[in-house]
Amino acid sequence: MAKPPKENSPITEHLAYLLAQANREINRQLELRLSKEGVPVEQWRILKVLSDGNGHSMGELADAVLLNHPTLTKMIDRMVSDTLVYRVQDPNDRRKVLMFISDRGKVLCKKLNSLAVDQEEHILESYGDKSTSELKRLLESLIDSSN
Amino acid sequence: MAKPPKENSPITEHLAYLLAQANREINRQLELRLSKEGVPVEQWRILKVLSDGNGHSMGELADAVLLNHPTLTKMIDRMVSDTLVYRVQDPNDRRKVLMFISDRGKVLCKKLNSLAVDQEEHILESYGDKSTSELKRLLESLIDSSN
DNA sequence: CTTCAATTCTTGAATATTCAATATTTTCAA
DNA sequence: TTGAAAATATTGAATATTCAAGAATTGAAG
């Protein structure tokens, strides 16, 4: 009756592996859509966070888009070159840099959003409304319980 | 009554984002444990797949451990240097290389497995037995429905 | 048989990420 | 008020990943 010891369980049964696999697959699909506009997923996330119109510091942004600081700095450099975003020094704390989205960035973000919505709708179709919202709920709670 | 349009929904509500976030966090925790033995997560996956004792081709392995071919080749090079695994040319198809785990690899794999089990138990404690198995079930079915 | 396309793996160059160190500014205790 | 510690962002070197091309072998059509 006893379950087999975890030590021998195949890798495909580990939560860490299932998460990696699902993440890889969903991300691949999203990449594919966003590549229509030639934009990596991370840049879409950045634009989306900034599209609230408020200034966000690099630290905030790095947390929000799941990138570490140097990687974000270099990605932002590229986006500044493409005039999608711009830097402003925070007047209240001059260590900080506040990032803003440009008009061009807003236009691009709209297009990207609808590509992303396409994908979510595609998932809803093949995976189901109920499973999707249940999965989201469980993921949120896993993330919560990990802090 | 209508739901807000997805286009304006915050990034934190997208399935792709939740998956990335959860994956990042769980992976970070696992990395932390495995670093006790100085081994990256991918190498543990490789050892675990090979520990069935059968030879696995590079292509098979790459799929199984979620790495693309050149990355895997270079990681295997390192593991061969560390004498954790070794290459044998497939006698039936000489284009292929069959990978095997060494005795040293087996010993290391055992240690890593128990570190990984520690983590899974930690998750079970803080997140709950039921949520965990339900989450696994949903992830498996998402992966299925994406093929 | 022979040749051409497909499969498998590896390599090298280009690119991206990470680690450690640095510069700047702020905070706060003495 | 001053000086040391903390916080923030960036830089440059080391490392890792990816893309595109290459080498070897197999498959299969003519």
Side-chain angles (χ1 to χ4, degrees):
Chain A
M1 265 341 292
K3 291 185 210 168
K6 270 231 193 72
E7 299 227 357
N8 302 330
S9 70
I11 187 116
T12 50
E13 283 176 14
H14 284 266
L15 180 57
Y17 182 81
L18 291 170
L19 280 170
Q21 202 181 356
N23 179 49
R24 188 182 160 86
E25 179 57 25
I26 297 301
N27 208 55
R28 197 189 56 75
Q29 289 175 16
L30 183 55
E31 245 168 24
L32 202 65
R33 314 233 173 191
L34 299 190
S35 71
K36 199 186 152 197
E37 297 289 337
V39 176
V41 175
E42 290 78 12
Q43 290 199 13
W44 171 58
R45 290 199 196 123
I46 292 170
L47 291 173
K48 201 154 174 58
V49 170
L50 295 186
S51 63
D52 67 1
N54 300 324
H56 293 264
S57 74
M58 292 296 280
E60 256 184 310
L61 250 191
D63 284 350
V65 304
L66 315 175
L67 291 177
N68 54 16
H69 290 218
T71 305
L72 178 63
T73 293
K74 286 156 192 171
M75 182 160 285
I76 288 287
D77 286 346
R78 276 168 258 158
M79 294 175 78
V80 169
S81 299
D82 296 342
T83 67
L84 297 171
V85 299
Y86 57 94
R87 292 176 160 101
V88 175
Q89 197 172 59
D90 186 338
N92 298 118
D93 182 343
R94 289 181 9 233
R95 290 170 302 182
K96 293 186 184 172
V97 171
L98 297 181
M99 298 303 313
F100 290 90
I101 189 170
S102 71
D103 289 342
R104 224 167 94 64
K106 282 178 200 162
V107 171
L108 177 58
C109 191
K110 275 231 172 83
K111 286 187 218 160
L112 297 174
N113 284 342
S114 78
L115 294 174
V117 167
D118 276 356
Q119 190 212 9
E120 295 247 326
E121 276 165 6
H122 176 258
I123 293 171
L124 284 179
E125 260 176 42
S126 64
Y127 184 55
D129 217 45
K130 198 161 175 186
S131 293
T132 305
S133 60
E134 180 66 1
L135 177 56
K136 284 187 183 179
R137 195 184 63 74
L138 283 168
L139 287 172
E140 275 166 10
S141 119
L142 174 66
I143 294 159
D144 267 6
S145 83
S146 301
N147 300 328
Chain B
M1 266 336 291
K3 292 184 208 165
K6 270 229 192 72
E7 299 228 356
N8 302 328
S9 69
I11 187 115
T12 51
E13 284 176 13
H14 283 264
L15 180 57
Y17 183 82
L18 290 170
L19 279 171
Q21 203 181 357
N23 179 51
R24 187 181 159 87
E25 179 58 27
I26 297 300
N27 208 56
R28 198 189 56 75
Q29 290 175 17
L30 183 55
E31 245 168 23
L32 203 65
R33 314 234 174 190
L34 299 189
S35 71
K36 198 185 152 197
E37 297 288 338
V39 176
V41 175
E42 291 79 11
Q43 292 199 12
W44 171 58
R45 289 199 198 126
I46 292 170
L47 291 174
K48 203 156 174 55
V49 170
L50 295 186
S51 63
D52 67 1
N54 300 325
H56 293 262
S57 75
M58 293 295 281
E60 258 184 311
L61 250 189
D63 284 350
V65 304
L66 315 176
L67 290 176
N68 55 16
H69 290 215
T71 306
L72 178 64
T73 292
K74 286 155 190 171
M75 183 158 285
I76 289 287
D77 285 347
R78 275 168 256 157
M79 295 176 78
V80 169
S81 299
D82 295 343
T83 68
L84 297 171
V85 299
Y86 57 94
R87 291 177 161 100
V88 175
Q89 198 174 59
D90 185 337
N92 298 119
D93 183 342
R94 295 190 355 243
R95 289 169 302 184
K96 293 186 185 173
V97 171
L98 297 180
M99 299 303 313
F100 290 90
I101 189 169
S102 71
D103 290 343
R104 223 168 96 63
K106 283 178 200 161
V107 171
L108 177 58
C109 190
K110 274 228 173 85
K111 287 188 219 158
L112 297 174
N113 283 342
S114 78
L115 293 173
V117 168
D118 276 357
Q119 191 213 9
E120 294 247 327
E121 275 165 4
H122 176 258
I123 292 172
L124 283 179
E125 262 175 41
S126 64
Y127 185 54
D129 217 45
K130 199 162 173 187
S131 293
T132 305
S133 60
E134 179 66 1
L135 177 56
K136 283 186 184 178
R137 194 185 64 74
L138 282 168
L139 287 172
E140 276 166 9
S141 116
L142 174 66
I143 293 160
D144 268 5
S145 83
S146 301
N147 300 327

